[in-house]
Amino acid sequence: MDLTVKTLAGGEAGQLSLNEGIFGLEPREDIVARVVRWQLAKRQQGTHQAKGRAEISRTGAKMYKQKGTGRARHSSARAPQFRGGGKAHGPVSRSHEHDLPKKVRALGLKHALSAKAKASNLIVIDDLAVQDAKTKALIANFAGLGLTNALVIGGAELDQNFARAASNIPNIDVLPIQGINVYDIMRRGTLVLSKSAVEALEERFK
């Protein structure tokens, strides 16, 4: 499939032929959802923790005598039914990660890229570089391209002026090609790739 390459100023910079095996697949929501779920589970901290009855610092003496009070038989004030007692079946620190085959992860990225291309939410820019780190000027460039909610993927090395200028713009994320991922692609409306990013993707999946 052919796509018009644009400049940051909004002009045209020729045509680019995109690999059908990466950008021309019929998007499968189930594969994309699996990869997003794997990503979100992997980044969960899992540091939530509640004390069980074995971890409560409280006397172990029997609360009152066994018989003759007319009350229920209790032995420990650490039991969950008492105020100050341990939590029954409370959360514990753990990892939420689960396995996902590498081939499925790679396929999920291809389907996410194809979904953006099919929805006409993919823009290729010849070079993501600016002379000065001026956010106001970059906002004007993005307005000319119709970008209000976008993920911008550059090459292996990001232009520092561009990255600094874009860092203050709401709903605009900038990543090097090494950081491209399914979740960030799907959470933003438009995907913007530099020519070097497209070349890196085609090299990665060839």
Side-chain angles (χ1 to χ4, degrees):
M1 60 184 293
D2 292 330
L3 200 67
T4 301
V5 179
K6 296 187 177 181
T7 64
L8 266 179
E12 295 188 3
Q15 294 283 318
L16 183 66
S17 181
L18 298 178
N19 190 325
E20 291 285 343
I22 302 173
F23 297 94
L25 301 176
E26 187 62 34
R28 280 185 55 181
E29 291 183 7
D30 59 321
I31 293 177
V32 173
R34 282 182 68 186
V35 179
V36 168
R37 180 174 171 269
W38 171 79
Q39 273 190 252
L40 295 181
K42 188 177 175 66
R43 80 179 194 178
Q44 266 190 270
Q45 284 187 314
T47 53
H48 46 359
Q49 177 80 40
K51 288 185 177 181
R53 63 185 294 171
E55 300 166 304
I56 293 294
S57 178
R58 208 171 188 189
T59 178
K62 189 170 172 64
M63 299 181 69
Y64 43 77
K65 63 181 183 176
Q66 176 82 351
K67 304 178 72 66
T69 65
R71 301 170 70 182
R73 296 169 291 187
H74 292 299
S75 62
S76 174
R78 301 190 190 109
Q81 65 264 39
F82 298 116
R83 186 169 69 176
K87 177 74 173 175
H89 311 297
V92 294
S93 296
R94 68 184 181 91
S95 170
H96 292 267
E97 287 186 49
H98 58 267
D99 291 332
L100 191 67
K102 284 184 179 179
K103 287 185 177 180
V104 178
R105 289 182 244 161
L107 195 58
L109 182 55
K110 289 180 183 178
H111 279 281
L113 293 169
S114 296
K116 290 299 182 186
K118 186 176 181 181
S120 299
N121 288 328
L122 176 64
I123 296 176
V124 177
I125 291 184
D126 61 342
D127 187 25
L128 295 174
V130 292
Q131 292 292 328
D132 300 305
K134 300 291 185 183
T135 299
K136 186 175 181 180
L138 193 57
I139 288 175
N141 288 337
F142 283 168
L145 293 167
L147 299 178
T148 55
N149 187 302
L151 171 65
V152 182
I153 303 293
E157 294 290 335
L158 289 175
D159 179 68
Q160 288 302 308
N161 286 340
F162 180 86
R164 286 171 183 156
S167 64
N168 292 327
I169 305 176
N171 302 319
I172 299 291
D173 297 329
V174 179
L175 293 173
I177 187 60
Q178 303 93 311
I180 191 170
N181 64 88
V182 175
Y183 175 69
D184 281 327
I185 290 173
M186 301 311 294
R187 73 189 285 260
R188 292 302 179 198
T190 306
L191 176 63
V192 180
L193 298 174
S194 68
K195 284 183 72 173
S196 56
V198 174
E199 291 166 4
L201 284 169
E202 293 184 347
E203 179 68 23
R204 174 175 172 179
F205 291 122
K206 73 176 182 180

